[in-house]
Amino acid sequence: LLLLLLLSLLCLRGRGQGFGQTRFVCTSVPLDGDVCAASAPGTGSAEELKSTVLQLRETVLQQKETIMNQKETIRELTAKLGRCESQSVLEAPGGEGKGGGAGRKGGFSKNTMGDLSRAPAAETLSQLGQTLQSLKTRLENLEQFSRMNSSSQTTNLKDILQNKIDDLEKQVLSRVNSLEEAKFNPNNESEERGKIESTLTSLHQRISDLEKGQKDNRPPDRFQLTFPLRTNYMYAKVKKSLPEMYAFSVCMWIKSNASPGLGTPFSYAVPGQANELVLIEWGNNPMEILINDKVAKLPFVINDGKWHHICVTWTTRDGVWEAYQDGTQTGNGENLAPYHPIKPQGVLVLGQEQDTLGGGFDATQAFVGELAHFNVWDRKLSPGEVYSLATCSTKALSGNVIAWAEANIDIYGGATKWTFEACRQLN
């Protein structure tokens, strides 16, 4: 019976398709006849028929194995599809991709098997709230301690607490930036970021109030500005503008390890010219000084996380400039905006590059790091004067145009003021 079944299958197969070069022909066999004795026309051999049956059996076994492999493949694909569908649900609630899918190529959301899903916006905001509450609690403890203890004891506690607050603030601002990048709900994000910035500003004001008791014991120039993150809203503003200048020297202490590029330590814009005087290191380019949109590349190597003292001098006659790092001249040149005096009545900003007068900040050009002793003179300093500044000599001069003092600087968006220690370390 089995042999009859195989022969029937052979007949059906032979009509529909060929097996290699073999041609099969069906022959009727009586029920009580000898199957082996029956032979196809033109063959006359039972052995050939047996060989064909064995070949057919081998083919059936091969097809069975192929089907099993295909079933395994189907199971794997089904499991991967399930993961893709779960990713799609997490990334696009309600069946819509981020931004509705309109801006994506082909209208499809990007799903990569094994990718981690983004944390929900509500969870991120909850974490921000907890961090801010921790900041508030620590500050309240500091205020209470300052009322109950002496000034020296408060200073020690404040130093320890300030470091912790700085770390927490970096976490807050980092999460704000992450939330902005997620863009789950732009309106809610802007509102939440505004609340967080307002809270941080309030906290920094309270810190400043606590410091008032110690300011009499600290020189007015012994402070630094800290810009912990690359944002478009964190900066400091010099209250005084620059006069018309036919020469200048700009010097400062700077510390950064930001990459790529540490950003814009300062920018001075005037009506009609946003790049009147700018110091910038953007992307993988070297640091540059811009005067009236004219550019000179500066040979500074300062992106190592250590304090460095830098100075740039310039005179309008022939546009001659010099660059100093850590008290030593490292470069010079000429023809930098020759016979163009620096214009007055502008806005001087620390930490951001201005595209418009007093604004138009771009986060990619923001300064990341610490800055101190920013001084401006309306003349070219001598090498000896620059060296005195870089070595924190008691003979070092303050800028006769802009002098570094807390009263001359306003801070915005979470930038912080704290005690400058680089000169103490040198001495």
Side-chain angles (χ1 to χ4, degrees):
L1 181 61
L2 176 60
L3 188 56
L4 287 173
L5 180 61
L6 289 174
L7 285 173
S8 299
L9 180 59
L10 174 61
C11 292
L12 292 173
R13 286 291 213 173
R15 293 172 186 173
Q17 65 181 39
F19 290 87
Q21 300 297 322
T22 304
R23 180 181 180 187
F24 301 100
V25 180
C26 293
T27 303
S28 61
V29 179
L31 291 177
D32 55 351
D34 186 358
V35 175
C36 294
S39 59
T43 61
S45 172
E47 292 299 326
E48 185 175 351
L49 181 59
K50 287 181 180 180
S51 175
T52 302
V53 170
L54 292 175
Q55 195 175 38
L56 175 62
R57 182 180 179 184
E58 183 179 351
T59 302
V60 170
L61 292 175
Q62 290 176 351
Q63 289 181 343
K64 181 179 179 181
E65 183 179 355
T66 300
I67 290 172
M68 295 299 294
N69 291 337
Q70 288 176 343
K71 286 183 177 179
E72 182 63 27
T73 302
I74 289 171
R75 281 196 293 270
E76 291 180 3
L77 291 175
T78 302
K80 291 181 179 180
L81 180 61
R83 289 200 296 271
C84 286
E85 289 174 345
S86 63
Q87 289 291 332
S88 179
V89 170
L90 287 173
E91 292 184 359
E96 293 183 0
K98 188 166 62 176
R104 293 191 177 274
K105 183 177 180 180
F108 295 102
S109 297
K110 178 183 178 182
N111 283 302
T112 304
M113 295 180 187
D115 283 355
L116 296 176
S117 61
R118 192 185 295 273
E123 180 182 344
T124 304
L125 290 175
S126 175
Q127 292 173 346
L128 289 173
Q130 293 173 6
T131 304
L132 286 173
Q133 185 59 45
S134 177
L135 279 170
K136 291 180 180 179
T137 301
R138 291 176 182 274
L139 281 171
E140 288 168 359
N141 292 339
L142 175 60
E143 289 171 332
Q144 183 178 4
F145 193 92
S146 67
R147 289 193 294 268
M148 298 173 60
N149 296 274
S150 66
S151 175
S152 61
Q153 291 173 319
T154 303
T155 301
N156 293 333
L157 175 65
K158 181 167 61 60
D159 289 343
I160 297 173
L161 188 56
Q162 180 65 36
N163 291 332
K164 294 181 179 179
I165 290 173
D166 288 343
D167 291 339
L168 287 170
E169 181 183 345
K170 290 179 182 180
Q171 296 177 28
V172 171
L173 294 174
S174 178
R175 288 171 183 164
V176 171
N177 287 342
S178 298
L179 186 59
E180 287 178 336
E181 292 174 2
K183 295 182 180 177
F184 285 96
N185 190 326
N187 294 332
N188 288 345
E189 289 167 25
S190 298
E191 181 180 351
E192 290 297 331
R193 194 188 78 179
K195 292 179 181 178
I196 292 169
E197 288 181 31
S198 176
T199 303
L200 287 175
T201 301
S202 175
L203 293 177
H204 287 305
Q205 183 59 48
R206 290 165 67 184
I207 293 174
S208 299
D209 292 341
L210 292 173
E211 292 177 335
K212 287 181 179 178
Q214 288 90 32
K215 281 187 178 179
D216 292 340
N217 300 322
R218 187 174 77 189
D221 65 341
R222 205 179 124 193
F223 76 101
Q224 68 187 45
L225 298 179
T226 300
F227 305 91
L229 293 172
R230 207 182 292 275
T231 73
N232 63 352
Y233 52 82
M234 187 183 298
Y235 66 103
K237 184 177 178 182
V238 180
K239 295 180 180 180
K240 185 179 178 181
S241 182
L242 299 179
E244 185 175 59
M245 296 188 299
Y246 293 84
F248 69 74
S249 296
V250 178
C251 300
M252 71 198 78
W253 282 93
I254 199 167
K255 178 182 178 182
S256 179
N257 59 0
S259 178
L262 57 83
T264 308
F266 79 90
S267 64
Y268 176 67
V270 297
Q273 177 52 279
N275 296 325
E276 183 67 7
L277 178 57
V278 181
L279 183 67
I280 185 171
E281 183 181 278
W282 188 24
N284 295 316
N285 300 313
M287 183 166 280
E288 299 172 337
I289 185 78
L290 282 70
I291 300 177
N292 191 34
D293 268 329
K294 307 301 185 294
V295 181
K297 298 184 184 300
L298 305 178
F300 291 146
V301 182
I302 55 179
N303 195 2
D304 57 4
K306 299 178 181 179
W307 280 108
H308 293 281
H309 187 266
I310 60 173
C311 275
V312 179
T313 69
W314 172 86
T315 59
T316 186
R317 178 169 179 150
D318 295 327
V320 175
W321 60 270
E322 295 175 344
Y324 293 82
Q325 179 177 326
D326 299 326
T328 302
Q329 185 180 133
T330 57
N332 60 77
E334 59 183 16
N335 202 34
L336 174 60
Y339 305 104
H340 171 84
I342 302 300
K343 297 178 181 178
Q345 306 304 316
V347 177
L348 182 56
V349 168
L350 305 178
Q352 294 284 354
E353 196 274 331
Q354 303 173 68
D355 285 336
T356 59
L357 189 65
F361 304 145
D362 182 347
T364 63
Q365 297 174 325
F367 173 71
V368 181
E370 297 170 295
L371 187 150
H373 283 261
F374 177 84
N375 286 276
V376 181
W377 294 260
D378 60 1
R379 62 180 180 85
K380 176 182 175 181
L381 294 182
S382 68
E385 289 173 320
V386 173
Y387 185 80
S388 294
L389 290 165
T391 55
C392 301
S393 169
T394 55
K395 299 179 181 179
L397 303 174
S398 296
N400 67 331
V401 174
I402 300 293
W404 187 247
E406 291 192 59
N408 295 340
I409 305 290
D410 288 330
I411 58 175
Y412 301 90
T416 61
K417 290 180 181 179
W418 199 237
T419 303
F420 176 64
E421 301 291 347
C423 281
R424 175 184 288 182
Q425 295 170 4
L426 287 175
N427 295 330

